[in-house]
């Protein structure tokens, strides 16, 4: 009964248009008032504040700010030009440039939305001008943006690490191979579609162009090397890496590239503060929600239901993936992550799934939801940039979504894709 009140109240408030944070807090208030009347309501404030009071969450603010500074510092055009020199000569060149640019941009921003906004605003008009259809251009952009929070740095990876109490550094490194695999798979399907439709290729491969564009893009390309290399080398923690990234982004944009003004810095601070605050209040509200879920033993009840169907790990993982994909249709990744991890993480441990492996799996799964209707934010953003109807973008996205789901299943059932690098660089 208490579980029904908790979930039902939250869904009703969401359906009425109330922001998720207040829907979660409202559901928690109703549940505690009715089913735990002896508890003082002060506990809500305590859990809300304690949920945000975590050292590792400083990395969220740092990486938000680093990404905003790099975005304002004139890096997008350089990355696109470098990607063009590498893969523009392949059939459907600009589609591949879009995907590779997203992979490069992922090492700086760690945000799918920022990826779509930055890369899409540059490449979607160029693709349309070159003869690519507007829906296809938007579909490529939104699908490739999923790579953003997989390749480090990654805000969802940080949040999962905090919730599951695992190493942020391990989560970062675990995302490298899956992120590259997603990018290569998207390029493969883009090549097939481009051949069928006769989409053009760009200039022939030129070593001189690669070297020249690589030199111009060297400053932004060094950022992910510093972040990942520093964490792997034990020079600094993932949180400290965020602070280093901010310092590097400011120095590079202001004094090396000379495209970052002090006004840009102020605007970047405002945007990063807004993004950080949004994440933190969601974490605070969902921490209270997670505590109530644990108190009501929801995880054990869900486990009993799932294990009544089967205790085979591969079947349980399949059920988890299907459930997460369905949730991703309606809830954005971060809130879904914060709500679902306390429920399903113990189940994953019980069937012997490595915590790092489970983290990458659930993050990729929920990110796919950004490309699926009815809530998929990237659909509407990319459609707006391409000046086309979201329904047409969804239709063009189907082959890319199929590839993303295939990669998800591959990562789910072949743990080596996520665990090889963490096991290689970190002591267990």
């Amino acid at each position: 009964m208490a579980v029904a009140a908790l979930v039902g109240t939250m869904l009703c408030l969401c359906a009425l248009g109330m922001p998720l944070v207040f829907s979660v807090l409202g559901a928690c208030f109703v549940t505690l008032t009715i089913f735990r009347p002896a508890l003082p309501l002060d506990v809500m404030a305590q859990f809300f504040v304690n949920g945000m009071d975590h050292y590792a969450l400083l990395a969220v603010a740092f990486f938000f700010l680093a990404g905003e500074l790099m975005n304002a510092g004139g890096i997008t055009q350089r990355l696109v030009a470098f990607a063009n020199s590498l893969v523009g000569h392949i059939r459907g060149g600009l589609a591949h440039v879009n995907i590779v640019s997203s992979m490069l941009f992922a090492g700086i921003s760690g945000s799918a939305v920022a990826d779509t906004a930055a890369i899409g605003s540059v490449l979607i008009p160029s693709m349309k001008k070159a003869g690519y259809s507007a829906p296809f251009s938007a579909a490529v952009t939104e699908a490739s943006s999923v790579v953003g929070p997989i390749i480090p740095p990654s805000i969802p990876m940080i949040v999962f690490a905090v919730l599951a109490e695992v190493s942020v550094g391990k989560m970062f490194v675990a995302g490298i191979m899956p992120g590259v695999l997603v990018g290569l798979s998207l390029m493969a399907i883009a090549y097939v579609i481009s051949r069928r439709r006769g989409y053009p290729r760009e200039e022939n491969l030129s070593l001189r162009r690669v070297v020249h564009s690589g030199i111009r893009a060297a400053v932004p390309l060094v950022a992910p090397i510093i972040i990942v290399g520093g964490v792997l080398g034990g020079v600094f923690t993932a949180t400290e890496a965020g602070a280093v990234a901010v310092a590097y982004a400011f120095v590079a944009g202001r004094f090396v590239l000379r495209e970052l003004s002090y006004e840009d810095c102020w605007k970047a601070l405002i945007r990063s503060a807004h993004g950080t605050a949004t994440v933190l209040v969601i974490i605070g509200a969902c921490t209270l929600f997670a505590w109530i879920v644990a108190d009501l033993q929801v995880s054990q009840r869900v486990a009993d239901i799932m294990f009544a169907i089967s205790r085979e790990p591969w079947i349980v993982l399949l059920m988890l993936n299907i459930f997460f994909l369905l949730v991703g249709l309606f809830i954005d990744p971060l809130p879904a992550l914060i709500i679902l991890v306390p429920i399903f993480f113990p189940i994953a441990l019980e069937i012997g799934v490595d915590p790092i492996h489970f983290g990458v799996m659930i993050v990729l799964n929920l990110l796919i939801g950004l490309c699926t209707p009815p809530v998929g934010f990237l659909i509407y953003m990319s459609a707006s940039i391409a000046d086309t109807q979201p329904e047409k973008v969804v239709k063009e996205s189907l082959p890319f979504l199929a590839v993303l789901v295939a990669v998800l299943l591959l990562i789910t059932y072949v743990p080596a894709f996520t665990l090889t690098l963490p096991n290689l660089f970190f002591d267990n």
Side-chain angles (χ1 to χ4, degrees), residues 217-299:
V219 171
L221 290 176
V222 168
I225 296 175
I226 292 175
I227 295 169
V228 177
V231 173
L232 291 180
V235 179
F236 37 68
T237 66
T239 301
E240 293 164 346
V244 172
V246 170
Y248 179 83
F250 175 74
V251 172
R254 181 73 184 130
F255 302 108
V256 180
L257 300 179
R258 298 185 179 182
E259 297 188 25
L260 183 67
S261 66
Y262 288 115
E263 183 181 357
D264 292 331
C265 292
W266 175 250
K267 291 179 180 178
L269 281 168
I270 298 298
R271 289 192 297 268
S272 61
H274 181 270
T276 302
T278 301
V279 172
L280 290 182
V281 296
I282 292 174
I283 291 176
C286 292
T287 299
L288 174 62
F289 185 91
W291 175 75
I292 295 176
V293 163
D295 182 61
L296 298 176
Q297 298 183 333
V298 174
S299 180

Side-chain angles (χ1 to χ4, degrees), residues 2-12 27 31 289:
V3 175
L6 179 67
V7 177
T9 303
M10 182 183 70
L11 294 178
C12 286
T31 304
F289 185 91

Side-chain angles (χ1 to χ4, degrees), residues 100-386:
V100 173
S101 297
S102 293
M103 295 171 68
L104 297 175
F105 200 81
I108 297 169
S109 74
S111 166
V113 175
D115 193 326
T116 298
I119 303 299
S121 62
V122 173
L123 278 174
I124 288 179
S126 298
M127 292 178 71
K128 291 171 62 178
K129 188 176 180 180
Y132 297 80
S133 72
F136 176 80
S137 303
V140 171
T141 303
E142 55 140 5
S144 63
S145 296
V146 170
V147 177
I150 300 298
I151 295 177
S154 166
I155 303 303
M157 295 288 194
I158 297 171
V159 172
F160 176 85
V162 170
L163 294 171
E165 298 182 351
V166 298
S167 165
V168 176
K170 283 188 176 181
M171 288 299 302
F172 275 10
V173 176
I176 295 175
M177 288 181 64
V180 172
L181 182 61
V182 169
L184 293 176
S185 301
L186 292 175
M187 289 179 68
I189 193 65
Y191 176 78
V192 172
I193 295 173
S194 297
R195 279 192 63 88
R196 289 179 178 175
R197 298 181 181 180
Y199 287 144
R201 66 183 76 192
E202 301 302 297
E203 299 178 34
N204 292 332
L205 180 64
S206 167
L207 180 60
R208 183 177 181 180
R209 284 182 63 228
V210 172
V211 173
H212 180 263
S213 61
I215 292 173
R216 292 193 73 246
V219 171
L221 290 176
V222 168
I225 296 175
I226 292 175
I227 295 169
V228 177
V231 173
L232 291 180
V235 179
F236 37 68
T237 66
T239 301
E240 293 164 346
V244 172
V246 170
Y248 179 83
F250 175 74
V251 172
R254 181 73 184 130
F255 302 108
V256 180
L257 300 179
R258 298 185 179 182
E259 297 188 25
L260 183 67
S261 66
Y262 288 115
E263 183 181 357
D264 292 331
C265 292
W266 175 250
K267 291 179 180 178
L269 281 168
I270 298 298
R271 289 192 297 268
S272 61
H274 181 270
T276 302
T278 301
V279 172
L280 290 182
V281 296
I282 292 174
I283 291 176
C286 292
T287 299
L288 174 62
F289 185 91
W291 175 75
I292 295 176
V293 163
D295 182 61
L296 298 176
Q297 298 183 333
V298 174
S299 180
Q300 188 56 50
R301 297 181 187 182
V302 173
D304 291 341
I305 295 172
M306 297 183 71
F307 292 152
I309 299 173
S310 176
R311 296 189 70 92
E312 288 290 331
W314 74 271
I315 295 179
V316 174
L317 286 173
L318 181 62
M319 288 191 288
L320 288 175
N321 272 321
I322 292 173
F323 180 78
F324 294 148
L325 285 171
L326 292 175
V327 168
L329 296 176
F330 304 100
I331 304 179
D332 286 338
L334 278 180
L337 195 66
I338 299 166
I339 292 171
L340 297 179
V341 167
I343 298 175
F344 292 101
F345 186 63
I347 298 174
L349 294 181
E350 191 167 342
I351 62 174
V353 177
D354 186 278
I356 302 297
H357 177 211
F358 179 73
V360 175
M361 183 191 83
I362 188 175
V363 168
L364 175 57
N365 196 312
L366 293 173
L367 286 172
I368 294 174
L370 288 172
C371 304
T372 54
V375 177
F377 184 71
L378 298 185
I379 298 173
Y380 304 102
M381 176 179 281
S382 60
S384 176
I385 297 172

Side-chain angles (χ1 to χ4, degrees), residues 51-64:
M52 298 183 288
D53 187 18
H54 198 291
Y55 173 74
L57 291 176
L58 286 172
V60 174
F62 286 136
F63 284 120
F64 260 124

